[in-house]
Amino acid sequence: MITDVPGVLVGHHERVGGGWATGTTVVLVPGGAVGAVDQRGGAPGTRETNLLEPENLVQHVNAICLSGGSAYGLAAADGVMRWLAERNLGIPVGTEPHEVVPIVPAAVLFDLPRGDWGNRPDASFGYAACEAAVGGPVPLGTVGAGAGAKAGSLKGGIGTASERVGEFTVGVVAAVNAAGEAVDLSTGRAFAADHEVDGEFGVRWPDRPGDVEAKASGLNTTIGVVAVDAALSKAEARRLAVAAQDGLARAVRPAHTMFDGDTVFALATGDRELPGGVGPVAAARRAMVLDTLCSAAARVFGRAMVHGVLNATSAGGMRAYRDVWPEAFE
């Protein structure tokens, strides 16, 4: 899970049922982390992403907020800021400990049709997700920002995965809400199934068509975070986010459409140094290590997306994978 990266905490808050199907997921890094972002697709909903450009002043972020609710859901980040400010976590801007500005980039996905109009995340969702944040197992499926998510013709959800790369750990959490399909509807096999490690998906791929109609799911957006315990610059962290988008494209078809605002944040906690030194040989050595981390980021993002779909349960009138191919879990 993404929480296998030391110093990374994840919390969810959602409302499902009674006219609700939406929520918020927060990735907290209380110790701070170098942040970056890569955005693809034609319909993004984001906050505080320009400051993550390598040439801009701010280097570290305190949290990433992922939320449902379309542009309305960006309000959830206000609650994350309040939670952090109460703990004096943020960029110091004065002489007193409480004089800080928490840095909370955010991205939202489109799930407005899943519940009654007006039922969408606000600041209380972000605050509650922070209160629920832990460094252990991350709940999957129809939780947090994945509560109202849809992946093509099936219910989407929250997924997570991680991989050890030498001395480093790369982890991902993703809210799968794609216009494209994450599963081949003619066989029931996930497109990123070949990235499975040690039977982690826990299913027997059914190899039969599903009784589900393939149809475009309208406005969407898959959003997520890739984290690593390496000491990276903002530019290097952005390469990690770029590579993670490749994993997204492996997991859904098509990806990055005009109806998606696919956004991936990267967090580098800095616990472990990459090879150092001066000169072209040292630079090449560092680039090679970064390349292995980027390759892992693509694989891990694809695996996280499969977990999001397989662990989803029906909500908001959407059928889940386990409803269409129940024999896969027998």
Side-chain angles (χ1 to χ4, degrees):
M1 297 187 174
I2 190 173
T3 50
D4 292 333
V5 179
V8 175
L9 314 178
V10 174
H12 303 303
H13 182 70
E14 68 284 330
R15 290 191 64 178
V16 178
W20 287 83
T22 191
T24 298
T25 296
V26 173
V27 180
L28 286 175
V29 277
V34 170
V37 67
D38 184 71
Q39 189 278 314
R40 311 280 171 102
T46 57
R47 166 175 167 161
E48 296 279 40
T49 51
N50 283 354
L51 64 78
L52 299 179
E53 296 296 332
E55 69 271 20
N56 289 336
L57 175 66
V58 172
Q59 297 295 310
H60 294 85
V61 305
N62 304 106
I64 302 292
C65 181
L66 310 175
S67 187
S70 190
Y72 296 105
L74 290 171
D78 292 338
V80 182
M81 288 191 69
R82 180 163 65 89
W83 189 91
L84 290 164
E86 290 174 354
R87 290 154 180 81
N88 300 335
L89 296 173
I91 293 180
V93 293
T95 58
E96 298 299 322
H98 68 277
E99 295 176 338
V100 298
V101 176
I103 304 301
V104 185
V108 293
L109 54 81
F110 185 82
D111 59 3
L112 295 179
R114 322 292 186 237
D116 294 342
W117 188 257
N119 289 348
R120 55 223 180 200
D122 57 18
S124 68
F125 277 64
Y127 192 95
C130 290
E131 289 282 274
V134 295
V138 178
L140 305 178
T142 306
V143 296
K150 188 176 185 182
S153 305
L154 298 169
K155 180 73 179 70
I158 291 288
T160 187
S162 69
E163 180 178 326
R164 288 282 294 175
V165 184
E167 62 181 307
F168 304 101
T169 301
V170 176
V172 165
V173 64
V176 186
N177 189 62
E181 301 287 353
V183 173
D184 183 343
L185 301 182
S186 68
T187 65
R189 184 178 178 86
F191 289 124
D194 57 335
H195 287 321
E196 184 174 23
V197 176
D198 296 331
E200 65 181 302
F201 298 142
V203 299
R204 196 170 47 206
W205 301 112
D207 197 25
R208 71 163 177 86
D211 57 339
V212 59
E213 180 183 358
K215 57 183 178 182
S217 54
L219 298 172
N220 293 276
T221 296
T222 293
I223 51 181
V225 178
V226 55
V228 65
D229 53 357
L232 303 181
S233 67
K234 288 174 71 176
E236 290 169 332
R238 186 173 186 276
R239 292 304 307 173
L240 201 70
V242 168
Q245 292 272 20
D246 293 339
L248 191 162
R250 296 173 192 175
V252 295
R253 301 178 186 179
H256 312 320
T257 74
M258 288 299 291
F259 301 95
D260 291 297
D262 301 331
T263 301
V264 177
F265 296 97
L267 296 173
T269 64
D271 288 350
R272 299 179 182 278
E273 294 289 339
L274 265 65
V278 178
V281 174
R285 187 182 305 116
R286 184 179 181 92
M288 290 176 65
V289 175
L290 178 62
D291 201 44
T292 63
L293 297 177
C294 289
S295 296
R299 293 189 297 269
V300 176
F301 207 97
R303 290 167 50 213
M305 291 188 67
V306 176
H307 282 295
V309 172
L310 293 180
N311 285 278
T313 53
S314 296
M318 296 173 284
R319 297 180 70 195
Y321 183 96
R322 60 184 61 245
D323 300 319
V324 179
W325 289 282
E327 69 272 23
F329 299 88
E330 294 174 354

